[in-house]
């Protein structure tokens, strides 16, 4: 039986001074899930453990994202995080500081019902 997606949320986050891609990605994920309220579990009696959470974060340098650490921070379900090329790096021409911008898509899936 395959899973069925029942929610997708998008978010954006940044790290203005440290060029920390994981921090920017964490903020993007937090932005996405902050907008979600899922009464489905209370209404149906389903367990959060049945939910599979798939997170995709886009940053300019995906190899610098600690996906394992980000997955630990997700509050519900069985989570996986994948970093892909995306987001944006913006350099301040006056200071040389690079602002890291990350985007995130948080998707939740449940086993397909009957």
């Amino acid at each position: 039986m395959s899973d069925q997606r029942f929610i997708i949320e998008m978010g954006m986050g940044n790290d203005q001074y440290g060029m920390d891609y994981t921090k920017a990605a964490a903020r993007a994920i937090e932005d996405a899930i902050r907008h979600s309220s899922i009464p489905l579990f209370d209404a149906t009696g389903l367990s959060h453990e049945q939910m599979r959470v798939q997170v995709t974060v886009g940053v300019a340098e995906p190899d610098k994202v600690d996906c394992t650490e980000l997955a630990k921070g997700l509050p519900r379900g069985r989570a996986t995080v994948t970093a892909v090329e995306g987001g944006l790096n913006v350099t301040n021409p006056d200071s040389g500081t690079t602002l890291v911008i990350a985007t995130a898509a948080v998707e939740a899936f449940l086993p397909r019902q009957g």
Side-chain angles (χ1 to χ4, degrees), residues 33-68:
I33 63 175
R34 183 180 314 132
H35 303 290
S36 296
S37 175
I38 309 172
L40 171 77
F41 294 99
D42 288 336
T44 63
L46 291 170
S47 165
H48 285 100
E49 293 304 313
Q50 293 178 274
M51 179 174 60
R52 179 173 60 88
V53 179
Q54 178 178 306
V55 178
T56 306
V57 294
V59 295
E61 297 186 45
D63 57 313
K64 293 185 177 178
V65 175
D66 186 342
C67 293
T68 303

Side-chain angles (χ1 to χ4, degrees), residues 1-4 6 40 44 46 50 109-114:
M1 187 175 276
S2 63
D3 288 345
Q4 183 175 11
F6 69 95
L40 171 77
T44 63
L46 291 170
Q50 293 178 274
F109 298 82
L110 284 171
R112 190 173 299 277
Q113 301 298 305

Side-chain angles (χ1 to χ4, degrees), residues 5-18:
R5 182 174 62 194
F6 69 95
I7 191 169
I8 182 169
E9 292 284 349
M10 286 71 63
M12 192 275 301
N14 64 65
D15 183 30
Q16 295 186 39
Y17 302 106

